[in-house]
Amino acid sequence: MYKLHDITAIEAATRSHLIQPWESISTLGEIVRPVITGSKNIYVLGDQGRKLIDGPAGMWCSQIGCGRKNIAEAMAAQAMHLSYNSPWYTTSSPAAHLAEKIANVTPGDLNHVFLTSGGSTAVDAALRLVQLYQNVRGKTDKNIVLARTGGYHGSTHLSAAMSGSPASRRNFDVDREPVSFLTEPNRLNLPAGVTEEGFCEFLLLELRNRIAELGADKIAAFIAEPVQASGGVIVPPDGYLKEVRQICRENDILYIPEEVVTAFGLCGAWFASEEVFGITPDTITFAKGVTSGYVPLVGFAVSDRILNEIAAAVYSNGYTYSGHPVACETGPKSMDILESEEILEHVRDIAPYFKSKLSQLKDMEIVKDVRAVGLLGAVECEVPGQPDIAIGAEIDRHCVELGLIVRPGRNMCVMSPPLIITRDQIDDMVGILREGILRASANHPN
Ligand SMILES: Cc1ncc(COP(=O)(O)O)c(C=O)c1O
């Protein structure tokens, strides 16, 4: 075991043996990502123990903040008491308790929960349920899934097939899956002067036309993140999601809000679909926030209506770690903290401040757009006259030097800090971001 701060040894072992997500094979062993040595509250520790604000909360997941002793103790106690049980032929108190607790906060009649261990597998499992549903009802031609360009749904074959960004798909055999992509609701792609209502009408007309073109009898489901997260915090126009829900209902198309990112607090609600966007779906995915990132645990919830319609079927899909007792013990503890510390209320209270502080960055020439909802925000940049420069990574590098991690997209900085962040800490975060953007833009004078 390496000592906590033996950075050289950690880097050497990483270079020699570790393949990280989205690793470029051409530079494998050459470029090592920054070493994180610890975490506490809204901060992570870099090399030399340097404190950095965790702008993206890990990967949209450290909702209650890091280093909570009672969570660590609950996990340890559960590991001593029951470290594993097979969900294939047994159940456990933590799994049952967590399922009940989640069912109590899901929208509508989504009263049953399937558990797994990664957001991609939650999406995969939900899509397999959709296939089962359509096939068992005899609607075997109903197999196309409507997804959206710019959406991200994960790294299993099926979830990657639903992901719109070309980078998620390149060199994989995902194009053979029956998916049809609709335009992402990103206002920046529209001609100047188009109103919010006009944009919404355009998107809805496209959906109606696509259903007419493909045939409702061929379309199984519509999947979409309520707020397209990795795609750049794309907030849909008012009324769009509600109308999509209605169109899906009229055409017997299942609606899957993909809430791997937005569930459990980021938008100030347990689930954004119902409380923020007014939608009651058929199934819903959730992930990161459910354990605040302390341990992998994710899942989907499904409505009684869907289950009743396929009552005779076997859902032959499952994982060794579905309902893992240590992970499941963590979920309710993290939810208890969200409740007892009134963190969802705090998010609703502080969200306008977060948005207004980020929006102040628009006075910089390089900042093209700022988007935010809840504690989910993105600052999109473009070097004037040089739109091809991927400035996000440069901004991130400067911010890391200054004490902040941002999640760099190609040309944007995505922020979703731990939900316990205070106004003063938002000031610090946005102050560093401003300086990081200034330093990066100084490298690209007009
Ligand atoms: C909306 C969405 N769905 C699915 C996933 C995949 O989750 P995981 O990386 O845990 O498999 C992600 C990951 O960030 C995501 O943002």
Side-chain angles (χ1 to χ4, degrees):
M1 177 64 107
Y2 303 112
K3 278 187 254 138
L4 195 58
H5 297 304
D6 193 347
I7 304 296
T8 312
I10 296 168
E11 286 181 343
T14 302
R15 273 182 216 289
S16 302
H17 302 295
L18 191 59
I19 300 175
Q20 296 202 264
W22 286 60
E23 187 88 68
S24 169
I25 308 295
S26 64
T27 53
L28 186 63
E30 288 170 26
I31 298 175
V32 176
R33 300 173 188 190
V35 177
I36 299 298
T37 56
S39 60
K40 184 78 191 162
N41 196 271
I42 69 153
Y43 301 97
V44 293
L45 305 180
D47 52 11
Q48 322 299 332
R50 216 160 52 83
K51 222 164 113 178
L52 302 149
I53 299 174
D54 189 0
M59 247 174 88
W60 342 85
C61 51
S62 304
Q63 320 305 45
I64 58 171
C66 301
R68 298 266 190 172
K69 200 165 173 221
N70 58 340
I71 298 267
E73 284 172 353
M75 287 165 64
Q78 183 58 46
M80 287 303 291
H81 180 69
L82 170 69
S83 54
Y84 176 78
N85 68 290
S86 168
W88 293 74
Y89 46 88
T90 64
T91 185
S92 72
S93 164
H97 181 43
L98 176 66
E100 181 179 49
K101 205 158 161 76
I102 293 176
N104 286 340
V105 297
T106 50
D109 69 338
L110 277 71
N111 289 322
H112 284 81
V113 172
F114 177 84
L115 297 168
T116 169
S117 50
S120 312
T121 57
V123 172
D124 204 292
L127 290 166
R128 282 170 65 83
L129 185 83
V130 166
Q131 291 180 356
L132 182 78
Y133 173 75
Q134 302 297 8
N135 290 334
V136 166
R137 294 191 311 150
K139 309 219 168 188
T140 50
D141 287 341
K142 232 171 151 37
N143 55 20
I144 300 172
V145 178
L146 299 177
R148 296 183 311 181
T149 58
Y152 179 73
H153 300 294
S155 283
T156 63
H157 173 79
L158 208 47
S159 60
M162 305 300 146
S163 299
S165 90
S168 304
R169 315 172 61 80
R170 194 172 301 128
N171 294 326
F172 288 105
D173 298 329
V174 291
D175 288 337
R176 64 177 69 145
E177 292 303 323
V179 187
S180 182
F181 287 101
L182 297 159
T183 305
E184 63 180 350
N186 186 347
R187 289 168 191 79
L188 286 186
N189 296 336
L190 281 171
V194 175
T195 60
E196 172 107 356
E197 293 80 42
F199 184 32
C200 190
E201 277 165 27
F202 160 80
L203 294 167
L204 294 172
L205 185 64
E206 183 194 41
L207 171 61
R208 286 200 181 89
N209 287 343
R210 188 69 57 84
I211 294 172
E213 185 191 313
L214 298 172
D217 58 336
K218 301 278 191 305
I219 304 173
F222 171 90
I223 185 166
E225 300 154 80
V227 179
Q228 217 164 267
S230 318
V233 185
I234 309 297
V235 186
D238 279 351
Y240 160 76
L241 289 174
K242 223 170 167 172
E243 201 55 39
V244 170
R245 171 63 179 129
Q246 185 53 30
I247 295 171
C248 286
R249 193 174 275 134
E250 285 161 12
N251 288 281
D252 187 25
I253 295 169
L254 292 184
Y255 183 98
I256 314 172
E258 217 278 61
E259 293 224 31
V260 159
V261 168
T262 45
F264 293 94
L266 262 180
C267 294
W270 293 111
F271 288 91
S273 292
E274 189 168 56
E275 290 181 54
V276 181
F277 297 105
I279 290 156
T280 310
D282 300 303
T283 105
I284 199 164
T285 58
F286 60 86
K288 310 177 184 250
V290 62
T291 58
S292 280
Y294 278 81
V295 65
L297 175 78
V298 316
F300 72 79
V302 58
S303 72
D304 294 342
R305 177 182 77 84
I306 301 290
L307 293 180
N308 287 339
E309 283 191 52
I310 56 169
V314 175
Y315 178 52
S316 41
N317 187 61
Y319 302 92
T320 301
Y321 296 130
S322 288
H324 190 285
V326 178
C328 288
E329 182 66 10
T330 314
K333 293 280 180 306
S334 178
M335 289 174 75
D336 285 347
I337 290 175
L338 286 171
E339 273 167 334
S340 64
E341 297 183 12
E342 301 185 347
I343 293 176
L344 302 187
E345 292 81 349
H346 169 69
V347 173
R348 293 199 289 273
D349 181 46
I350 208 168
Y353 187 74
F354 173 68
K355 187 171 182 176
S356 80
K357 287 301 288 186
L358 283 182
S359 298
Q360 287 171 8
L361 299 173
K362 282 191 199 157
D363 64 2
M364 284 187 283
E365 201 186 2
I366 192 177
V367 174
K368 192 172 159 198
D369 195 25
V370 171
R371 299 178 286 274
V373 57
L375 278 179
L376 195 55
V379 178
E380 183 151 351
C381 299
E382 187 175 291
V383 179
Q386 304 175 74
D388 292 337
I389 292 181
I391 192 112
E394 284 182 54
I395 297 171
D396 176 52
R397 209 170 48 245
H398 289 294
C399 287
V400 167
E401 278 164 19
L402 294 160
L404 167 70
I405 293 186
V406 295
R407 180 176 176 174
R410 217 190 133 269
N411 57 354
M412 70 189 123
C413 315
V414 173
M415 321 289 290
S416 59
L419 307 184
I420 53 171
I421 195 165
T422 63
R423 279 178 167 71
D424 285 350
Q425 289 167 331
I426 288 177
D427 291 348
D428 292 347
M429 184 173 77
V430 179
I432 295 178
L433 184 55
R434 173 178 287 278
E435 182 59 28
I437 295 173
L438 275 177
R439 290 188 188 182
S441 48
N443 293 338
H444 303 284
N446 287 329

